[in-house]
Amino acid sequence: MTSSTDIVIIGAGPTGLMLACQLSLYPNIVFRIIDRNAGCTTQSRALVIHARSLELLAQLKLVDKALAQGTFVDAMKGYFQGKCAIKVDLTQVRTKQQPLNTRYPYVLFLEQSTTEQLLESYLHEHGIQVERNIEVIDIKDFGDAGAEVTLSNGEILRPRYICACDGARSIVRHKLNLSFSGRTYSESLFVADCEVDRSPCSTKEMMLFCESTGLSGIFPIRDNRFRLIGTIHEGNQDDIHLSINDVQKIVHTRTRRSDINISNCSWISVYHSHHRHITTFRYRKHYFLLGDAAHIHSPVGGQGMNTGLQDAHNLAWKLAYVLTHSAHDRLLDTYHDERFKVAESLVNTTDRAFSFISSPYWLTRFFRLYITPYILRFLVQPILNSSQTLRQYLFRRLSQTAITYRSSKIYDYGASAGQFHRTTPLPGDRFPYVIFEPCYYHFVIFANQQQSTKVKLFIDFVKEKYSKIVRIHEEDLPVQFEGAILVRPDGYIAYRTTIFDINHFQAYFSQYFLFESI
Ligand SMILES: Cc1cc2nc3c(=O)[nH]c(=O)nc-3n(C[C@H](O)[C@H](O)[C@H](O)COP(=O)(O)OP(=O)(O)OC[C@H]3O[C@@H](n4cnc5c(N)ncnc54)[C@H](O)[C@@H]3O)c2cc1C
């Protein structure tokens, strides 16, 4: 049987599920989501949900459920050879005087299994079923003429777009022969989810331990369940099978506490970490690669799943606008432009951090064990304690709220008109604080009460011409100038103006939108 559809999403991990949830917001898009597994993962895997991902869940009205089921982590402590060298108080990143520019200034721990269940339940509630127990077994590429996707049940799909959300071993990437350049680290890592009595950390803290035998971490999951992680320096992945007793021994040695007992391990796994990414997130006209299919890196900073969720968020509205709102195909090229740079920089940063914390090279080990604790205790800690700006900078980097797309080609055609104060966010920056209704562009008009005729004419023009895709928000704010900021459906700034020049706006917008037909 051969079927056609607008979009096929291969893989219902967090990335594929987020893409499906976002596409489901657009009623006229026909898509299918296929996964070879019978259900969502049962493993806790990605534990950290960062602020930017919480904003995405807020757009789907899932954030309250996520916050209710997760654990808020308030502090991170770093121990070197038994002594605490640094404590980062995460509650200090926000103060009344200097609030953070997100509604969710938290580090939330939520098991990946729960995140996936939340997203899949959302799909069910909106009448969409993940097609499970079906594997994609082949992809036939016909160049510009399209592609065929062969399923394990014999069905052949001829979709307009193929979204590969099929994880690190992506069949799409393999069939298209796309290079996944990078390397595999020689050190093995272990992960174990267990009950811990007398945990050295509370349920609101995460702890890292650096010893000559390796690095370990203890992170709260919920109640007395904790995630234990660590490096293992000998052998390779295939040779190592850790038992609960092995994990217990590692915990005793690395925490230097023999009174900690672990039990009821629900998951113990030993794996090698990699850092790799593809070089094109859009291949030909039809293929998009997202999430682990496009980039993988070490677990430093808990960024993997969060990055996949944002890939999906970035692509979904562009696909929807091309399919239903006469947007130009080149809008889809900006998916690569914007997300490739994020992935490339993330893979490089996490590589540097992971290489430093895990390298067995004697000089790096010496520096890590004997110099780093002093740098942290006597330099970093005092600066962190006194500098709210530094605390907020670090939080924004970690939480992915600092990501900008300023250099995206979408802004090549003059997305700024007029003079702005230097603190005004730029096109490509995330619009802070507000979570707008999904699917629409939002024009936020900052104007004094007595709007000039020019502003009124501009607003009337946008209302008349773009009513199907743009919502207008007229804010009566005590600002020094009249200005307007256009926000994309994914919450990033598309355009800003202080001169309300209709021709300029039209020239910019028509680069991506064939506006006569809107
Ligand atoms: C131990 C561990 C800890 C981690 N901790 C964190 C963390 O704290 N924070 C973080 O952000 N990330 C973390 N990660 C990474 C995170 O789990 C991944 O980045 C995330 O799962 C990627 O999601 P994905 O949807 O892109 O891919 P996956 O989760 O791998 O999903 C791919 C899906 O595609 C399906 N599939 C594959 N091939 C086919 C096929 N041929 N046909 C049909 N279906 C197919 C699979 O069944 C699967 O459901 C961790 C990972 C591990 C292993």
Side-chain angles (χ1 to χ4, degrees):
M1 190 175 92
T2 304
S3 330
S4 59
T5 176
D6 286 336
I7 299 167
V8 61
I9 302 171
I10 305 176
T15 307
L17 288 168
M18 175 57 85
L19 183 61
C21 288
Q22 293 292 331
L23 288 173
S24 75
L25 296 165
Y26 298 83
N28 299 324
I29 308 274
V30 182
F31 71 90
R32 293 174 61 176
I33 171 163
I34 287 159
D35 199 289
R36 65 182 170 204
N37 286 344
C40 294
T41 184
T42 52
Q43 295 171 344
S44 63
R45 294 179 70 184
L47 210 50
V48 188
I49 302 233
H50 288 299
R52 182 60 189 146
S53 300
L54 290 171
E55 292 178 352
L56 309 193
L57 293 178
Q59 257 197 343
L60 297 171
K61 301 194 173 24
L62 290 175
V63 75
D64 291 338
K65 286 184 187 167
L67 295 176
Q69 293 179 65
T71 300
F72 296 87
V73 171
D74 287 344
M76 199 201 81
K77 288 181 182 163
Y79 285 79
F80 288 75
Q81 305 195 82
K83 286 199 184 121
C84 183
I86 189 158
K87 177 177 175 183
V88 182
D89 185 345
L90 294 166
T91 61
Q92 293 296 312
V93 292
R94 53 192 188 271
T95 58
K96 269 207 175 122
Q97 295 74 28
Q98 266 182 283
L100 270 164
N101 64 357
T102 172
R103 279 196 200 172
Y104 306 102
Y106 320 116
V107 175
L108 186 78
F109 275 28
L110 187 72
E111 290 153 272
Q112 184 170 324
S113 47
T114 312
T115 306
E116 290 188 14
Q117 280 158 22
L118 280 177
L119 293 169
E120 190 157 349
S121 309
Y122 178 94
L123 289 176
H124 286 177
E125 281 159 24
H126 291 80
I128 293 154
Q129 301 300 324
V130 177
E131 296 174 50
R132 292 203 167 274
N133 294 314
I134 298 177
E135 184 167 8
V136 170
I137 52 171
D138 197 17
I139 311 269
K140 281 203 178 70
D141 176 48
F142 304 121
D144 287 346
E148 266 182 12
V149 177
T150 309
L151 307 183
S152 52
N153 61 3
E155 191 181 353
I156 292 174
L157 300 180
R158 291 228 175 94
R160 197 161 153 193
Y161 298 110
I162 295 172
C163 295
C165 305
D166 47 349
R169 295 185 179 164
S170 166
I171 185 173
V172 180
R173 204 184 59 233
H174 283 292
K175 292 284 173 188
L176 298 176
N177 264 328
L178 299 179
S179 112
F180 202 33
S181 56
R183 82 180 168 98
T184 302
Y185 298 101
S186 55
E187 299 76 30
S188 302
L189 292 169
F190 78 88
V191 52
D193 286 353
C194 308
E195 284 180 18
V196 182
D197 75 337
R198 292 179 201 283
S199 167
C201 66
S202 80
T203 51
K204 292 201 168 295
E205 286 176 347
M206 45 185 163
M207 290 178 126
L208 291 171
F209 302 89
C210 189
E211 289 288 329
S212 56
T213 49
L215 187 89
S216 274
I218 305 186
F219 307 138
I221 299 181
R222 82 192 106 80
D223 306 325
N224 63 341
R225 290 198 77 73
F226 289 84
R227 155 80 56 88
L228 314 173
I229 58 157
T231 50
I232 306 170
H233 287 296
E234 67 234 49
N236 69 37
Q237 181 185 0
D238 301 331
D239 300 327
I240 304 175
H241 296 281
L242 286 190
S243 67
I244 186 165
N245 288 338
D246 299 324
V247 176
Q248 174 85 73
K249 269 186 220 149
I250 295 175
V251 170
H252 285 169
T253 324
R254 304 234 174 123
T255 60
R256 299 193 177 203
R257 282 189 46 177
S258 53
D259 59 339
I260 299 168
N261 290 317
I262 62 172
S263 56
N264 288 332
C265 281
S266 54
W267 183 41
I268 300 182
S269 174
V270 178
Y271 63 101
H272 273 278
S273 186
H274 317 257
H275 74 276
R276 296 176 185 280
H277 62 75
I278 50 168
T279 51
T280 177
F281 278 35
R282 182 183 193 190
Y283 180 71
R284 300 200 198 282
K285 292 275 177 219
H286 322 287
Y287 304 96
F288 298 92
L289 289 99
L290 305 85
D292 277 17
H295 45 77
I296 48 171
H297 45 80
S298 76
V300 174
Q303 303 286 308
M305 180 187 75
N306 291 276
T307 307
L309 295 177
Q310 288 199 61
D311 290 345
H313 195 237
N314 185 284
L315 180 62
W317 70 273
K318 293 173 181 171
L319 282 169
Y321 270 62
V322 168
L323 285 165
T324 64
H325 287 312
S326 312
H328 200 285
D329 176 82
R330 73 169 78 97
L331 182 64
L332 294 173
D333 290 337
T334 66
Y335 166 66
H336 166 81
D337 263 1
E338 297 179 353
R339 295 308 296 170
F340 172 72
K341 287 197 179 104
V342 171
E344 188 185 36
S345 134
L346 182 67
V347 167
N348 291 337
T349 321
T350 51
D351 174 45
R352 280 196 294 275
F354 189 73
S355 298
F356 177 69
I357 61 178
S358 67
S359 169
Y361 177 55
W362 72 268
L363 191 58
T364 315
R365 281 188 58 186
F366 178 81
F367 193 82
R368 189 168 68 219
L369 277 172
Y370 300 105
I371 312 287
T372 308
Y374 290 99
I375 295 177
L376 292 178
R377 191 173 301 136
F378 297 114
L379 188 67
V380 179
Q381 183 80 70
I383 300 177
L384 264 183
N385 289 348
S386 62
S387 171
Q388 178 71 342
T389 310
L390 177 65
R391 286 199 293 268
Q392 293 205 340
Y393 168 80
L394 293 176
F395 182 86
R396 279 199 290 269
R397 287 294 304 267
L398 194 70
S399 64
Q400 306 199 339
T401 54
I403 289 171
T404 90
Y405 303 136
R406 285 179 192 174
S407 57
S408 166
K409 286 202 181 69
I410 208 169
Y411 301 116
D412 280 358
Y413 303 100
S416 225
Q419 300 290 317
F420 287 83
H421 189 265
R422 66 180 168 77
T423 55
T424 313
L426 287 158
D429 289 352
R430 172 180 143 277
F431 192 81
Y433 304 113
V434 188
I435 314 264
F436 288 112
E437 185 187 358
C439 305
Y440 295 97
Y441 274 85
H442 296 269
F443 232 135
V444 191
I445 316 282
F446 299 96
N448 295 323
Q449 261 173 353
Q450 302 298 318
Q451 281 182 2
S452 68
T453 318
K454 206 172 185 188
V455 177
K456 283 200 178 103
L457 280 175
F458 186 88
I459 295 174
D460 288 347
F461 168 80
V462 174
K463 275 184 182 161
E464 191 196 329
K465 205 80 180 162
Y466 300 112
S467 61
K468 278 192 190 155
I469 60 167
V470 181
R471 294 275 183 266
I472 305 268
H473 306 263
E474 290 173 57
E475 303 285 336
D476 183 15
L477 295 172
V479 290
Q480 299 302 308
F481 60 91
E482 287 184 335
I485 290 182
L486 181 67
V487 182
R488 310 186 328 188
D490 62 353
Y492 280 82
I493 294 172
Y495 179 84
R496 59 180 198 168
T497 181
T498 51
I499 55 173
F500 294 95
D501 180 338
I502 291 173
N503 291 335
H504 187 277
F505 174 64
Q506 231 177 331
Y508 163 76
F509 216 49
S510 59
Q511 297 298 328
Y512 283 91
F513 292 95
L514 316 171
F515 63 91
E516 282 83 3
S517 53
I518 286 175

